[in-house]
């Protein structure tokens, strides 16, 4: 891709994404669609309607606000600021899965949906695919971090591809972990009973979607590797028709009094949303991205990920000036976690991403005492209490 290049400059660190040109703060370094993506299972069950292909929210801002505030009488001003085009929404003629338009529907059918379409069995709880979804939800509760559907789509893509070798090659680019690291990654996804749960999922997937082209993914070792691959390389995706409506409202040219009234309405809306739904406000899913997956972590990143198109297209945006040959790094931690102590950051990165950070910020703080923040101490106490309870039972 012009402007950036994946290189291996340090064998211990592995591959990284490097700039081939100057970027200023705010520049979009690249935009990228995922090789594969899917909506989270619980998110879909809770009626966050999204395009099955690109994850664009299909619910109007007003309808989403009514649902998330439990107030069906709520009316949003300036409805023209909502960008959801419901007249363009189409459905799979067989199973009625929704898409934001014909282009996404056709793309999905050609890529993966032909192999996964349930037809008239979409509402049948006994269909193997529905049973798999139900099993997954019962072992992976919100807040969600993964979905077995991502693996099913990968299998479907290989099965449908005219050139399955090329599709397999695209997925092989993602970093494979060691056996111990794989077990750790899967444990984080599935919890303390991960081995039994993983084997149960493997049998369910194999019984329904076995194909000799992906037989290496469906052995016990291969299945564990695929889950570890997803756990260490996947990128969260979020879209919200409410946030788009708010952004467009902010851009309106209004008189002072009208602006104050609108701002007060939006402030109250967010309070009501928080009271009823908390932080679960978006259509959420996950995807695997070729270029973004090569971005290494830094606790002082020079780039960040945004979803400016309100679908699965990822934008990598510079937050610092970047020079040619400089490595482009993002933070794997959220804004709050990024400001915690070095010891806390290292702990989270080690547990969730299986590496010790050696970024400039961590090196500068190498002599800081190995103590956690008050929040971390509370979390550790809760973890210890939970372990004690598990020991009792």
């Amino acid at each position: 891709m012009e402007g950036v290049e994946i290189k291996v400059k340090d064998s211990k660190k592995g591959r990284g994404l490097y700039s081939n040109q100057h970027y200023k703060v705010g520049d979009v370094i690249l935009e990228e669609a995922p090789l594969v993506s899917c909506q989270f299972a619980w998110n879909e069950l809770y009626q966050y309607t999204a395009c099955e292909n690109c994850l664009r929210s299909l619910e109007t801002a007003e309808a989403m606000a009514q649902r998330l505030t439990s107030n069906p009488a709520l009316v949003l001003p300036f409805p023209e600021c909502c960008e959801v085009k419901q007249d363009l929404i189409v459905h799979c003629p067989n199973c009625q899965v929704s898409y934001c338009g014909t282009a996404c529907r056709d793309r999905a059918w050609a890529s993966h949906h032909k192999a996964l379409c349930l037809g008239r069995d979409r509402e049948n709880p006994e269909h193997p695919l529905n049973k798999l979804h139900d099993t997954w939800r019962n072992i992976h509760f919100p807040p969600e971090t993964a979905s077995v559907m991502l693996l099913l789509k990968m299998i479907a893509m290989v099965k449908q591809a005219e050139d399955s070798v090329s599709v397999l090659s695209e997925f092989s680019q993602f970093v494979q972990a060691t056996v111990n690291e794989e077990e750790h990654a899967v444990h984080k996804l599935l919890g303390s009973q991960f081995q039994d749960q993983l084997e149960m999922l493997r049998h369910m997937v194999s019984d329904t979607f076995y194909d000799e082209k992906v037989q290496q993914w469906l052995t016990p070792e291969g299945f564990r590797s695929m889950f570890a691959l997803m756990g260490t390389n996947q990128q969260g995706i979020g879209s919200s028709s409410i946030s788009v409506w708010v952004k467009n409202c902010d851009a309106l040219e209004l008189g002072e009094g009208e602006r104050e009234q609108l701002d007060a309405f939006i402030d109250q809306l967010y309070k009501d949303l928080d009271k009823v739904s908390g932080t679960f406000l978006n259509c959420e899913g996950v995807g695997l991205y070729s270029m973004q997956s090569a971005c290494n972590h830094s606790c002082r990143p020079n780039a960040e990920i945004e979803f400016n198109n309100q679908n699965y297209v990822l934008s990598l945006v510079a937050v610092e000036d970047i020079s040619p040959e400089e490595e482009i790094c993002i933070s794997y931690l959220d804004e709050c976690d990024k400001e915690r102590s070095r010891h806390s950051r290292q702990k989270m990165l080690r547990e969730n991403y299986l590496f010790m950070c050696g970024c400039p910020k961590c090196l500068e703080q190498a002599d800081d005492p190995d103590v956690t923040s008050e929040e971390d101490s509370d979390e550790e106490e809760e973890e210890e209490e939970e372990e004690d309870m598990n020991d009792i039972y």
Side-chain angles (χ1 to χ4, degrees), residues 77-176:
F78 304 103
E80 67 274 14
C81 289
C82 176
E83 294 185 6
V84 175
K85 304 291 191 294
Q86 291 199 306
D87 58 321
L88 299 180
I89 295 174
V90 296
H91 304 87
C92 170
N94 302 312
C95 68
Q96 300 304 307
V97 164
S98 300
Y99 297 92
C100 64
T102 55
C104 269
R105 182 183 63 187
D106 295 345
R107 193 175 297 120
W109 184 259
S111 168
H112 60 268
H113 188 63
K114 183 178 180 180
L116 296 174
C117 182
L118 290 176
R120 294 181 179 179
D121 283 330
R122 185 184 177 194
E123 303 299 329
N124 179 6
E126 296 303 312
H127 189 282
L129 186 55
N130 287 331
K131 291 178 73 173
L132 181 59
H133 273 235
D134 189 55
T135 299
W136 174 257
R137 282 193 295 266
N138 286 330
I139 62 178
H140 190 82
F141 296 97
E144 297 178 84
T145 57
S147 174
V148 71
M149 191 64 193
L150 195 68
L151 178 56
L152 296 187
K153 280 194 175 182
M154 293 167 71
I155 293 173
M157 288 172 66
V158 175
K159 291 176 71 171
Q160 287 191 211
E162 294 182 5
D163 183 4
S164 60
V165 174
S166 294
V167 178
L168 287 166
S169 177
E170 286 185 318
F171 290 131
S172 70
Q173 70 184 274
F174 297 101
V175 177
Q176 296 283 358

Side-chain angles (χ1 to χ4, degrees), residues 198-208 223:
L198 191 68
E199 188 62 9
M200 176 175 59
L201 290 170
R202 186 181 73 85
H203 280 295
M204 295 181 76
V205 173
S206 299
D207 291 346
T208 309
F223 201 69

Side-chain angles (χ1 to χ4, degrees), residues 171-186:
F171 290 131
S172 70
Q173 70 184 274
F174 297 101
V175 177
Q176 296 283 358
T178 66
V179 171
N180 288 338
E181 289 174 336
E182 286 174 356
E183 290 197 355
H184 185 94
V186 179

Side-chain angles (χ1 to χ4, degrees), residues 34-49:
L35 294 177
V36 61
S37 64
C38 70
Q39 187 179 5
F40 285 141
W42 282 100
N43 194 264
E44 181 180 3
L45 185 68
Y46 286 150
Q47 300 180 336
Y48 289 83
T49 55

Side-chain angles (χ1 to χ4, degrees), residues 295-357:
C295 285
N296 286 312
H297 165 83
S298 174
C299 297
R300 188 181 291 145
N302 55 13
E304 66 181 11
I305 291 168
E306 298 179 0
F307 288 92
N308 297 320
N309 299 289
Q310 288 304 310
N311 59 12
Y312 64 13
V313 175
L314 172 153
S315 298
L316 187 63
V317 181
V319 295
E320 292 184 357
D321 291 345
I322 300 173
S323 303
E325 295 301 315
E326 184 177 350
E327 184 175 9
I328 299 169
C329 293
I330 59 177
S331 175
Y332 297 173
L333 305 173
D334 62 29
E335 286 300 315
C336 292
D337 291 337
K338 197 166 59 176
E339 299 307 316
R340 291 189 176 186
S341 68
R342 175 182 177 272
H343 181 74
S344 300
R345 299 196 308 272
Q346 294 278 2
K347 178 175 178 287
M348 285 182 282
L349 292 168
R350 186 171 59 252
E351 290 182 351
N352 292 288
Y353 298 99
L354 314 178
F355 71 90
M356 292 292 292
C357 184

Side-chain angles (χ1 to χ4, degrees), residues 351-369:
E351 290 182 351
N352 292 288
Y353 298 99
L354 314 178
F355 71 90
M356 292 292 292
C357 184
C359 75
K361 183 174 180 178
C362 284
L363 293 177
E364 290 172 9
Q365 298 174 347
D367 294 330
D368 288 0

